[in-house]
Amino acid sequence: MKFLLSILLLLLFRNSGAQSTGKPEHSAAVAPVGLVKQAIAANSDYQLTRRNPSDADAWLGYYKWVVQTRDLSANEKLLQQKAAIAQSAAYIGSTWQFSLINFIESGKRDRSLLKAALNMAADKSMIYPYAIQHAIITKDATLLHDYALALNEVNPLPAELFEYHQNVLQSAPANAIIFGKGLTDLVPMAILQTVFGIRKDIRLGYYEERPADITNTFICLSAGKEVISNYPRAGYAGLLVQLEGAQTDPELQQMAARFKLYQLLSQDHFSDIAIHLYSNYLPTFILLYKSYKQKNPMEAEKWKALALKIAGMSGKVEAVHKMLAS
């Protein structure tokens, strides 16, 4: 079990930036360029806010970067988030971007801010994913249905992402709970369930803290190493992490038989987003290779070839070769 999780952490997160443990460098606001961390000063959206403080898109981009980056400590993130809101208010306070920033700051719970952003934005496709997360957080099935349909109408999932997220859902057994956090995991799965009726037996949850009951509970890989490492009994389960236990070889093989891999098999060029997501297949394909190696060499070679194809796309050839040989 620990071996499976170590494969996950080493292979999937080996290039992830570690969080800084430094103290905030300025306590009043987004600090002058000479005082901020180098990563902040180098951020293109941050630079745009310095040159043009009325650029609402730049403020939104910078705020989202602060929330998502691994280059800042938790304290630094909070400092920069609040500072960005305080400094931008005088310039973009009446824009949908400012409402969305404050909605995210509310933990994606303040529906009035969400509605304000939706009412003001001409292009609502950027806001619908957050609305879907809000519906999942608040367990509002009606809102989830409406926002999923609306997003799919204006911005349908590309075929490669449709296939990938369908396989994420297929990684879980019947009536499982899948927790996610990013826009790139919960939102596509919600669309597949709501619009296309795929795996509606699964309940989706927004990950904020350790669930009280982790029976038949899974978490998306996008939760990151810091979250996954909190579950020492967790095991790899296809494109998910099972919080308690790990799949046996027969379970792994049965799950893989449910995967749809047409896009992966038939294409040689993929978007950057697809390449990033496809890297998540690597532990499964490596484990399948090992599980078939002795009893079914031909099947083993199929999974090895797929693992090496993805490794070539994602720059992980050396690491994958080592794990295939171990």
Side-chain angles (χ1 to χ4, degrees):
M1 186 181 305
K2 291 183 179 179
F3 173 70
L4 300 187
L5 192 58
S6 69
I7 288 179
L8 170 71
L9 298 180
L10 287 173
L11 189 58
L12 297 186
F13 302 115
R14 64 195 299 264
N15 295 323
S16 297
Q19 282 194 335
S20 166
T21 57
K23 300 294 183 182
E25 295 170 300
H26 200 276
S27 59
V30 178
V33 173
L35 298 178
V36 296
K37 291 179 68 69
Q38 185 176 0
I40 295 175
N43 180 265
S44 59
D45 284 314
Y46 175 87
Q47 294 169 7
L48 287 173
T49 66
R50 302 299 92 189
R51 292 196 294 269
N52 180 13
S54 297
D55 188 335
D57 287 334
W59 280 111
L60 176 59
Y62 172 64
Y63 176 86
K64 288 165 62 178
W65 174 82
V66 171
V67 171
Q68 297 166 2
T69 186
R70 296 175 184 270
D71 293 331
L72 304 177
S73 70
N75 286 340
E76 288 171 326
K77 282 173 177 280
L78 291 175
L79 171 70
Q80 295 300 326
Q81 286 169 221
K82 293 185 181 302
I85 292 172
Q87 284 202 342
S88 64
Y91 300 100
I92 66 166
S94 61
T95 66
W96 69 263
Q97 291 92 334
F98 190 72
S99 291
L100 184 59
I101 288 171
N102 281 278
F103 167 72
I104 298 171
E105 188 73 5
S106 76
K108 302 173 185 174
R109 282 180 164 78
D110 192 323
R111 190 169 297 183
S112 64
L113 290 168
L114 174 64
K115 288 183 176 179
L118 284 168
N119 289 336
M120 286 188 282
D123 179 5
K124 304 183 191 312
S125 62
M126 287 186 61
I127 305 174
Y128 284 143
Y130 294 98
I132 290 172
Q133 284 190 324
H134 170 74
I136 292 172
I137 291 170
T138 58
K139 298 180 173 61
D140 191 320
T142 301
L143 277 183
L144 179 59
H145 176 268
D146 292 346
Y147 288 137
L149 288 176
L151 179 57
N152 184 69
E153 183 176 344
V154 298
N155 192 14
L157 283 174
E160 56 196 16
L161 300 189
F162 187 109
E163 179 180 273
Y164 172 84
H165 290 289
Q166 183 175 8
N167 290 337
V168 175
L169 288 170
Q170 295 293 6
S171 296
N175 303 311
I177 301 172
I178 298 177
F179 284 97
K181 195 165 186 177
L183 294 175
T184 57
D185 47 41
L186 284 181
V187 173
M189 287 191 290
I191 290 174
L192 291 178
Q193 286 187 321
T194 303
V195 180
F196 299 96
I198 297 172
R199 292 305 305 271
K200 296 188 75 171
D201 60 297
I202 288 175
R203 180 156 64 89
L204 300 178
Y206 185 80
Y207 187 89
E208 295 179 284
E209 58 186 16
R210 184 184 180 92
D213 182 4
I214 59 175
T215 305
N216 203 21
T217 300
F218 298 76
I219 191 168
C220 293
L221 300 176
S222 59
K225 179 172 61 176
E226 293 80 8
V227 171
I228 295 170
S229 298
N230 290 327
Y231 298 91
R233 293 178 57 81
Y236 196 73
L239 296 171
L240 296 166
V241 173
Q242 186 171 350
L243 297 188
E244 185 77 13
Q247 290 177 323
T248 63
D249 282 353
E251 288 172 336
L252 179 69
Q253 293 166 7
Q254 290 170 12
M255 179 213 64
R258 299 194 297 268
F259 276 2
K260 307 293 185 184
L261 298 172
Y262 175 78
Q263 295 296 321
L264 179 58
L265 290 168
S266 62
Q267 304 293 326
D268 291 320
H269 302 286
F270 301 94
S271 67
D272 290 342
I273 293 175
I275 291 172
H276 174 73
L277 291 175
Y278 282 0
S279 295
N280 294 335
Y281 282 116
L282 285 172
T284 286
F285 291 172
I286 291 170
L287 292 171
L288 284 165
Y289 165 74
K290 292 177 179 292
S291 72
Y292 281 115
K293 187 176 179 180
Q294 298 299 324
K295 296 182 178 179
N296 191 339
M298 185 176 297
E299 185 72 9
E301 287 301 313
K302 180 184 82 172
W303 296 109
K304 178 181 178 180
L306 280 173
L308 290 174
K309 179 177 182 177
I310 295 172
M313 299 177 196
S314 56
K316 298 181 178 181
V317 174
E318 183 179 354
V320 168
H321 271 299
K322 287 181 180 179
M323 290 185 179
L324 288 168
S326 64

